[in-house]
Amino acid sequence: VIAFVIVSQITSVVGFRRFLHLVSGRYYRPAVEERIFMFVDLVDSSRLAQRLGDLRFHDFLSEVFFQLDRASVGYSGEVVSYVGDAVIYTWPLRDDPKKNRACLKALRAMHRQIELVSDAFEIEFGERPRMRAAIHAGPVVVGECGDSRRQVTFLGDAVNMTARIESLTKTLDVDYLISQQALERIELPVNVEALHAGQHELRGSQEPFTMHRLLLK
């Protein structure tokens, strides 16, 4: 029982898949993998933090993350980290485009879940949460780092460019963007539509990125 409780507590902190990777030593030696990344962040978080105060905003944000996790848990995504008001998810980028659409199914599930709980948020906090998301894919180096606290990290342009695309959602004032590179490898679910959103220069890239706006039905 003690061992079960300890493992449960550890996996709740680092994530079940991350725990298995660390125990098995899968990434003891760094490896190159193709991955899908999705950055999800809270819209208007600075204003919310000022209005609610730090402690109440933490409660608000924690509940948002709980609802996102609750919606996405069935779609095989792995939480990389929580960074401020954002959460980063990743999936293996497979050869089968149908398998890769799990990230879009997860996004739609998260979108619907946030809509479902918006009334409860307004009653509790006087605010309705709204999310933005960016999706990109490409090769990254995956490996363990650290000593007293070991963790699996993802390094490469795919991660950096996903962060840039997330910033672009704010510039274009759209909720959801996906890069052409990712879209080419993902079969769209029937309830998700991609609309061309032009080419954009992203900091750190020598070539412009073709972007698509995602509409969730």
Side-chain angles (χ1 to χ4, degrees):
V1 172
I2 293 174
F4 176 78
V5 171
I6 291 173
V7 170
S8 296
Q9 290 298 314
I10 293 174
T11 55
S12 70
V13 173
V14 303
F16 183 70
R17 290 185 180 85
R18 190 74 57 88
F19 175 73
L20 289 180
H21 295 333
L22 290 170
V23 171
S24 66
R26 177 177 177 179
Y27 296 119
Y28 182 75
R29 295 183 182 278
V32 177
E33 292 184 355
E34 285 198 304
R35 285 264 172 179
I36 299 168
F37 289 93
M38 178 164 66
F39 280 45
V40 180
D41 80 324
L42 185 65
V43 175
D44 210 13
S45 59
S46 296
R47 182 191 64 79
L48 287 171
Q50 289 178 356
R51 196 189 79 76
L52 296 173
D54 291 342
L55 291 177
R56 285 292 283 165
F57 178 67
H58 180 275
D59 292 341
F60 185 95
L61 190 60
S62 179
E63 184 62 24
V64 169
F65 287 159
F66 174 82
Q67 297 297 335
L68 294 179
D69 188 60
R70 180 181 182 184
S72 64
V73 70
Y75 297 97
S76 305
E78 177 182 347
V79 174
V80 176
S81 63
Y82 297 98
V83 184
D85 67 340
V87 56
I88 306 170
Y89 294 90
T90 186
W91 288 261
L93 182 60
R94 306 184 187 279
D95 293 332
D96 185 354
K98 184 175 291 187
K99 292 182 179 179
N100 292 333
R101 66 184 180 180
C103 65
L104 297 181
K105 290 182 176 181
L107 177 61
R108 183 174 181 274
M110 288 187 280
H111 174 87
R112 289 175 60 85
Q113 183 64 23
I114 292 298
E115 285 188 332
L116 285 173
V117 299
S118 286
D119 288 344
F121 268 84
E122 187 164 30
I123 293 171
E124 175 68 21
F125 300 99
E127 297 281 354
R128 290 174 173 265
R130 181 181 159 207
M131 53 182 269
R132 287 195 179 103
I135 299 174
H136 183 49
V140 291
V141 174
V142 190
E144 293 183 23
C145 69
D147 184 15
S148 61
R149 183 181 184 276
R150 303 291 291 175
Q151 71 175 49
V152 177
T153 60
F154 300 84
L155 302 174
D157 283 345
V159 181
N160 299 332
M161 291 303 108
T162 311
R164 306 286 188 271
I165 296 168
E166 188 274 329
S167 296
L168 185 62
T169 62
K170 303 171 186 175
T171 303
L172 300 180
D173 193 23
V174 298
D175 290 336
Y176 309 122
L177 284 176
I178 185 171
S179 68
Q180 177 71 29
Q181 293 95 318
L183 187 60
E184 289 175 349
R185 303 283 299 274
I186 299 173
E187 180 180 302
L188 289 175
V190 294
N191 45 24
V192 178
E193 183 179 357
L195 302 179
H196 184 72
Q199 290 191 323
H200 301 272
E201 301 286 344
L202 299 181
R203 182 165 57 88
S205 175
Q206 297 180 349
E207 300 292 333
F209 271 59
T210 300
M211 303 305 306
H212 299 266
R213 180 184 177 191
L214 293 171
L215 298 181
L216 310 180
K217 304 173 184 177

